Every structure is written in C-alpha cells, then in structure tokens.
Amino acid sequence: MATPNELTLYTYFRSSASARVRTVMELHGVKRTDKYVHLLKADQKSAEYTALNPAQTLPLLEIKEADGSVWHLSQCIAIMEWLDETYGPTSPTGYLLPRDARDRAQVRSIVDLVVGDLFPMLTMGTLNKVKERGVDAGEWAQTCSKQYLTGE
Amino acid sequence: MLTPQALEAIVKKTSTAGRYAYGDSVTLADVAIATQMGTVSR
C-alpha cells in the first residue's frame, strides 16, 4: 500500500477523540500538519469546516495522496485503524491492532467500551447538558466511569 | 473521570503482565484508556 504524501489533522486540545488520533500518529512516527478547530468558539460549525466534515465533529484527517488527490476521514476509531493499517507495517512500534483475530477482537472490545460506551457520557456537550439540569458533572462522570468499567 | 480504580480493574481483567491494557505490547486499547485518563486532570 502506498503511503500518502501529506496528512493534515483537524484537531483541538480539549478533544479526547483528537488526542487518541494524535497518540497513534506519534506512536507510528507519522508526520502531520495540525489545523486547530476551536470547539468552545464553535469553529466546528463554520461553513468552511462543515464543507469538509458535515458532521461538524473532531477529529478529521485530510489525506493527500501521492497522485495529488485529497480525501477526508472522520471518526477517531476509523482514523486510528486506517493509520494502523497504513503505517503499522513500517512502524517501530508495530501494529496497534494485533494480527491474531481473537486478540484483535479483544482489543477492539476494550476500545469500544471506552470510546463507544463511556466516552459519549463524558463529552463536553454531554457534561454541559448535565450541568444545565442541575446535576454535578464531576459526580456524573465518576458514576459513569465506575458503572461502565467495574460494573458498580 | 476514568478513576484509577476503574483502570486497574480493566487492566487486571485483560493484561497478562499488568503493564498494558491487553497482552504484552501497546495496542489501541492503551490509546483509548490513556486518553480517557487524561480527562481526569480537567
């Protein structure tokens, strides 16, 4: 598989989903250009960004191929898995998804637990809505973490 | 937000050496958990 010429990551420091992608890129030694989208200023809702990502979410990876064509990929798990498939073979870290099908499924299970089940309960948007309803956001977050990860 | 106790519980369930979230090398599971741990400081 040919590796792309140029990667641009639309990211923000308070975006956990973006941080996951940045971590994978660092582990694989992938060079990138960062473009910052200020979530608190609602930059993700701008016409310019919406044209790139109609879902108005972060992160977004822009991939410029060797032939000059450009495409975009959103959603952190999809981005991380594409990075792993593309750069894992030559990365000093090696693949982040195990090659064995059973091990790979177990890793995906943990990722889904954190990113699919727990994370949506703890996003900035969710916590803001919780606060609006008079609930202590810190206590909410602790309760959700314990419920999803320890079953308590 | 992800408590140390909760992290310990998930690692005990899945890691053979207790160093990584699954198995004996870094995986996407570590990336997912470590990032969520980062939100604790916010």
Side-chain angles (χ1 to χ4, degrees):
Chain A
M1 186 189 308
T3 52
N5 253 4
E6 206 175 299
L7 297 178
T8 302
L9 181 65
Y10 289 80
T11 180
Y12 183 58
F13 81 102
R14 283 189 67 173
S15 161
S16 299
S18 300
R20 283 189 278 275
V21 171
R22 292 197 303 270
T23 302
V24 169
M25 295 180 97
E26 292 297 326
L27 286 169
H28 282 334
V30 180
K31 289 182 182 171
R32 68 179 193 273
T33 301
D34 285 336
K35 283 195 178 175
Y36 299 102
V37 179
H38 201 304
L39 292 179
L40 297 180
K41 292 180 181 172
D43 285 354
Q44 74 277 17
K45 295 180 180 175
S46 70
E48 185 186 358
Y49 186 71
T50 303
L52 298 175
N53 181 8
Q56 301 178 330
T57 57
L58 287 176
L60 179 72
L61 187 63
E62 183 175 271
I63 300 110
K64 186 175 182 183
E65 300 285 6
D67 64 6
S69 61
V70 175
W71 60 285
H72 296 88
L73 185 61
S74 64
Q75 295 299 325
C76 72
I77 294 177
I79 297 172
M80 291 191 297
E81 292 206 2
W82 178 81
L83 288 166
D84 201 45
E85 288 176 18
T86 305
Y87 297 98
T90 55
S91 165
T93 306
Y95 284 105
L96 297 173
L97 275 175
R99 297 298 86 197
D100 177 78
R102 186 170 116 179
D103 291 337
R104 189 162 59 247
Q106 294 287 9
V107 167
R108 282 183 168 138
S109 174
I110 297 171
V111 172
D112 281 349
L113 175 70
V114 176
V115 180
D117 290 354
L118 176 60
F119 177 64
M121 310 296 283
L122 307 177
T123 63
M124 205 183 305
T126 301
L127 294 179
N128 285 339
K129 286 188 169 50
V130 163
K131 282 181 204 166
E132 285 169 15
R133 286 159 176 76
V135 176
D136 183 288
E139 191 179 324
W140 164 270
Q142 291 286 346
T143 301
C144 291
S145 295
K146 282 185 181 173
Q147 179 192 337
Y148 279 100
L149 298 175
T150 67
E152 289 176 20
Chain B
M1 295 185 189
L2 175 55
T3 65
Q5 292 80 7
L7 176 66
E8 190 179 336
I10 198 169
V11 170
K12 272 185 182 171
K13 278 183 201 167
T14 56
S15 176
T16 55
R19 184 174 177 189
Y20 299 101
Y22 183 84
D24 296 319
S25 63
V26 64
T27 65
L28 282 188
D30 296 289
V31 174
I33 290 175
T35 308
Q36 207 59 45
M37 283 296 288
T39 63
V40 171
S41 60
R42 292 214 295 259

